[in-house]
């Protein structure tokens, strides 16, 4: 991977992390950073998605793995392209029109850049061709199925999330879940370690950002939305545990440090 590409990926990761930090800060400006809902759970969820993207791009830059960029490009196109079309279509309905415009334009620009990245890296071989460990691959397959059903449910306007969402926010979340589904489906279909590291890093970041808000929601446990809250929390806990095990604990798979020969997957 060229130095310019790595710097660009680090810059994108830093921008996404800064956006997430503003959303989580609770400052007055944070209410205008996302036009489809300003409740604390919604802001935390959008921040978690942004932080997951930041972790994914940072991991790709750290590992210098161009192959991983192809999978990220596929997921971003699948999620952001329809989201941008939808946001432009509802401009007249949104009260914060300017914010909706810049979010829609940003989604469209990122989708175009992701499509270019996917096309340019289509013939790239995995940098690390070790087979993905079986538990991680099983997790990716399970997440692809869960996200497919959850994304479809949200797009069909079923109230699946553990807090109240506006119709436009639920639709945007549905598109985000569809993009994430492609991310993990591709990792399951092409099980190499090059195609797993960024996914695990994104899962860990997503779970860490949402951990505190969801813990507070569990403390104030109510019947309304309780099943989805528990299911969401358990899924995030499993994802975080698997990601920590492979990226930080198990020596042959650690993200940082010398690479060792892998055990049987």
């Amino acid at each position: 991977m060229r130095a310019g590409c790595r710097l660009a990926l680090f810059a994108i990761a830093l921008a996404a992390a800064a956006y997430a930090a503003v959303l989580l800060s609770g400052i007055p400006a944070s209410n205008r950073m996302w036009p489809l809902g300003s409740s604390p759970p919604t802001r935390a969820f959008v921040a978690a998605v942004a932080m997951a993207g930041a972790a994914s791009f940072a991991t790709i830059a750290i590992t210098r793995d161009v192959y991983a960029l192809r999978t990220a490009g596929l997921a971003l196109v699948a999620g952001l392209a329809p989201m941008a079309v939808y946001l432009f279509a509802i401009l007249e309905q949104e009260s914060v029109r300017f914010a909706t415009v810049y979010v829609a334009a940003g989604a469209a620009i990122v989708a175009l850049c992701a499509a270019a990245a996917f096309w340019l890296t289509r013939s790239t071989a995995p940098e690390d061709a070790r087979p993905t460990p079986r538990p991680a691959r099983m997790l990716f397959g399970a997440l692809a199925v869960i996200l497919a059903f959850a994304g479809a449910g949200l797009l069909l306007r079923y109230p699946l999330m553990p807090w109240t969402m506006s119709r436009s926010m639920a639709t945007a979340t549905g598109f985000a879940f569809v993009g994430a589904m492609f991310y993990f489906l591709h990792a399951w279909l092409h099980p190499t370690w090059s195609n797993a590291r960024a996914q695990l890093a994104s899962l860990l970041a997503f779970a860490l950002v949402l951990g505190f808000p969801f813990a507070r929601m569990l403390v104030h446990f109510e019947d309304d939305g309780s099943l989805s809250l528990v299911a969401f929390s358990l899924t995030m806990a499993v994802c975080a545990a698997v990601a920590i095990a492979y990226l930080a604990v198990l020596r042959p798979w650690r993200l940082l440090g010398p690479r060792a020969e892998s055990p049987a997957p």
Side-chain angles (χ1 to χ4, degrees):
M1 180 180 289
R2 296 181 179 179
C5 183
R6 289 189 75 205
L7 287 175
L9 289 173
F10 277 126
I12 294 171
L14 183 60
Y19 180 70
V22 172
L23 286 174
L24 292 172
S25 67
I27 61 176
S30 65
N31 292 328
R32 299 189 295 272
M33 296 296 289
W34 181 253
L36 305 183
S38 59
S39 68
T42 294
R43 288 204 310 268
F45 178 79
V46 176
V49 172
M51 195 64 78
S56 181
F57 282 117
T59 300
I60 294 171
I62 290 169
T63 59
R64 307 174 188 234
D65 197 338
V66 178
Y67 181 85
L69 194 57
R70 179 175 68 172
T71 312
L74 172 65
L76 288 171
V77 171
L80 292 182
M83 186 188 300
V85 173
Y86 171 74
L87 291 175
F88 279 122
I90 64 169
L91 282 180
E92 296 299 329
Q93 306 171 25
E94 293 300 312
S95 58
V96 192
R97 183 171 180 178
F98 176 75
T100 308
V101 168
Y102 84 72
V103 171
I109 292 170
V110 173
L112 288 172
C113 293
F118 177 78
W119 178 257
L120 292 173
T121 58
R122 65 191 184 281
S123 59
T124 304
E127 184 273 335
D128 190 337
R130 291 179 293 169
T132 301
R134 189 171 292 111
R137 190 187 182 196
M138 291 173 61
L139 175 63
F140 294 155
L143 286 174
V145 174
I146 292 170
L147 289 164
F149 280 102
L154 288 168
L155 292 174
L156 293 172
R157 300 176 181 174
Y158 286 98
L160 300 179
M161 301 300 281
W163 68 92
T164 302
M165 282 183 167
S166 66
R167 179 178 297 180
S168 54
M169 179 63 197
T171 302
T173 303
F175 287 131
F177 280 2
V178 169
M181 182 271 292
F182 277 98
Y183 200 31
F184 297 111
L185 179 62
H186 191 276
W188 182 75
L189 292 173
H190 303 277
T192 64
W193 192 231
S194 278
N195 208 22
R197 293 177 293 200
Q199 283 87 339
L200 290 173
S202 68
L203 287 173
L204 180 58
F206 185 84
L208 290 177
V209 171
L210 276 185
F212 181 68
F214 271 48
R216 288 200 305 176
M217 292 172 70
L218 284 169
V219 169
H220 301 90
F221 195 81
E222 297 179 359
D223 290 338
D224 187 25
S226 60
L227 180 60
S228 59
L229 176 61
V230 172
F232 211 127
S233 300
L234 288 175
T235 301
M236 289 193 302
V238 171
C239 291
V242 173
I244 290 172
Y246 283 105
L247 296 180
V249 178
L250 298 176
R251 186 177 181 84
W253 308 101
R254 288 179 189 169
L255 183 61
L256 300 176
R259 171 177 161 180
E261 292 298 320
S262 65

